[in-house]
Amino acid sequence: MVFPVSDLRSALLVWCEHGGRHDIPWKQALDGSHVVDGEALDPYPIWVAEVMLQQTQLQVVLPYWRRWMHAFPTLERLAAADDHDVLLLWQGLGYYSRARRLRQGARQLLAASPGPDIFWPTDLQGWLALPGIGRSTAGGILSSAFDLPVAILDGNVKRVLARLIASPQPPARELAGFWRLSEQLLDPQRPRAFNQALMDLGATVCTPRNPSCGLCPWQGHCAAYAAGDPARYPVKDASRELPFQVIGVGVVLDGDGRVLIDQRLNEGLLGGLWEFPGGKQEPGEAITATIARELMEELAITVEVGEELISLEHAYSHKRLRFVVHLCRWLAGEPQPLACQQVRWVQPGELEAFPFPAANARIIAALLERLALADAAAGSAQAGGGAAAA
Ligand code: SF4
């Protein structure tokens, strides 16, 4: 396909002057001023941001990025950080292996930099050799930090390009062609500005559901717009139903009011995070029986399963889960880490010091609320008893 490439580049760059996002902190010079073409930026904050942005939108990422940069302002500080602190700062962003890989990459870069200066890669191969870095993330870092002409292809860019050419295929089935198109369009004179403008266009104008084609600098060249139904693109594969599972979860309290938590193994989904114990419901099994069985199998403890605390659903990219959470009273057995790294009894007020997966934050909130209500009820019963006695 032949494109008026220079028209598309210049229209996009002109649009970005007034329509783009110019206050992204990691795209500015250290003193907060706007960076000029060709000027290098510190790659570390950009790398952190690009990894956070892999599965998450800018507005969500910003506070996480600020907290992270405050806690680990340099590569050396990140390399020296322990698992607990890294996961706690990532808590809520999901895809937690990204946090560990960032730290692993920091250690790798320091090990490869014998002198006081860090040896930052300035080519694709160098960045792809670091854990957790794919081609688009590498392109984002190289163009943002060093103004190098390396293309990107994140979700926003795929959507814009799919509409520009009204691609009849889902981007995932035509990746090589989409990469070629992104490379073809990239302005070699101003790669940083161009890639940023392309991402801004996807994030603010060519949005997933209601693209604002009236504001778009590429409207005159856009095949999806010309076809009359741009939101139909990118076309999707016929959707497949995600597997669904019910998970029974026990919030186990002992006689001192402590609650039992366990730390997942480092491998696999949510590795290294803390959680309330539980597991999958078997066919035909009552959820209370699931909880009692799982706690015996995984922790070797006997509990009395009490009332339901909360029930909630959470969707991952590959499955949907419903967590049915019951309060439990610990009866017998010293908890053993049979299927996890470690088990701990903690006071409910201490739970915020542990990194939990997002779904568990609602369980913790429900528990704290329930305990506060129980305290209030006990307090007023005491006051009532006192008043009656008086
Ligand atoms: Fe997206 Fe509409 Fe612009 Fe086409 S004209 S690129 S569909 S915003």
Side-chain angles (χ1 to χ4, degrees):
M1 188 175 303
V2 180
F3 272 116
V5 169
S6 63
D7 287 357
L8 287 166
R9 286 176 187 156
S10 58
L12 185 62
L13 288 168
V14 167
W15 167 82
C16 192
E17 295 290 321
H18 56 86
R21 301 173 296 183
H22 298 286
D23 53 356
I24 299 174
W26 52 88
K27 306 251 171 154
Q28 295 170 346
L30 275 181
D31 61 3
S33 61
H34 290 312
V35 65
V36 297
D37 290 345
E39 182 184 349
L41 287 173
D42 182 356
Y44 171 61
I46 294 171
W47 175 25
V48 173
E50 288 289 342
V51 172
M52 287 184 171
L53 286 165
Q54 280 171 354
Q55 313 284 346
T56 317
Q57 291 186 341
L58 178 68
Q59 289 313 317
V60 178
V61 159
L62 277 168
Y64 281 93
W65 179 86
R66 288 199 174 97
R67 282 197 292 271
W68 183 280
M69 293 305 299
H70 184 71
F72 311 126
T74 62
L75 195 74
E76 289 85 349
R77 292 281 290 276
L78 173 57
D82 66 26
D83 242 24
H84 182 93
D85 292 343
V86 163
L87 290 173
L88 200 58
L89 279 167
W90 205 270
Q91 179 171 271
L93 266 181
Y95 300 93
Y96 292 85
S97 56
R98 293 183 294 167
R100 277 220 201 77
R101 289 191 186 132
L102 255 178
R103 189 194 49 187
Q104 200 185 327
R107 290 176 177 173
Q108 215 168 299
L109 277 177
L110 280 184
S113 308
D117 294 330
I118 294 158
F119 175 72
W120 289 105
T122 51
D123 60 15
L124 258 185
Q125 293 316 316
W127 281 100
L128 291 175
L130 294 173
I133 305 270
R135 185 172 166 188
S136 188
T137 301
I141 297 168
L142 285 164
S143 58
S144 293
F146 306 115
D147 209 4
L148 289 170
V150 188
I152 55 171
L153 192 63
D154 67 4
N156 280 336
V157 175
K158 283 179 193 158
R159 182 172 61 253
V160 175
L161 299 187
R163 289 172 177 171
L164 183 65
I165 61 172
S167 171
Q169 292 278 9
R173 287 178 178 261
E174 198 56 66
L175 271 184
F178 274 77
W179 273 112
R180 274 196 301 279
L181 181 54
S182 187
E183 285 170 339
Q184 187 189 354
L185 292 170
L186 178 63
D187 186 335
Q189 306 302 320
R190 302 192 61 202
R192 168 162 51 207
F194 181 89
N195 277 348
Q196 185 58 47
L198 189 53
M199 285 189 280
D200 290 357
L201 186 73
T204 63
V205 173
C206 195
T207 51
R209 271 180 280 283
N210 294 305
S212 305
C213 300
L215 302 174
C216 180
W218 284 0
Q219 189 200 80
H221 304 285
C222 178
Y225 176 76
D229 188 10
R232 206 168 76 77
Y233 299 91
V235 296
K236 298 183 180 58
D237 276 324
S239 71
R240 68 192 161 84
E241 209 38 32
L242 288 179
F244 177 75
Q245 283 168 349
V246 177
I247 306 292
V249 177
V251 173
V252 183
L253 292 160
D254 71 0
D256 297 326
R258 297 179 304 170
V259 60
L260 189 63
I261 57 175
D262 68 75
Q263 188 180 24
R264 294 173 68 95
L265 298 173
N266 275 341
E267 301 72 37
L269 187 71
L270 311 176
L273 295 186
W274 291 80
E275 64 179 7
F276 297 100
K280 277 181 229 150
Q281 184 182 38
E282 299 288 351
E285 187 178 46
I287 199 69
T288 50
T290 301
I291 294 170
R293 175 181 54 74
E294 286 285 344
L295 296 186
M296 172 52 75
E297 285 174 7
E298 297 196 352
L299 303 173
I301 59 172
T302 307
V303 298
E304 177 185 62
V305 181
E307 62 182 314
E308 182 177 315
L309 175 66
I310 189 174
S311 167
L312 51 107
E313 294 206 2
H314 194 79
Y316 295 94
S317 54
H318 59 296
K319 63 182 172 185
R320 285 189 308 122
L321 298 179
R322 176 182 296 142
F323 297 93
V324 182
V325 187
H326 281 245
L327 290 169
C328 298
R329 191 162 71 89
W330 175 74
L331 295 177
E334 191 58 34
Q336 307 291 318
L338 301 178
C340 58
Q341 291 195 53
Q342 54 173 319
V343 193
R344 275 204 212 172
W345 289 107
V346 298
Q347 292 297 335
E350 295 172 335
L351 288 169
E352 64 175 9
F354 294 83
F356 280 87
N360 281 248
R362 289 177 59 196
I363 301 177
I364 293 172
L367 172 66
L368 296 179
E369 193 179 328
R370 182 68 65 98
L371 293 174
L373 283 174
D375 278 352
S380 58
Q382 242 177 16

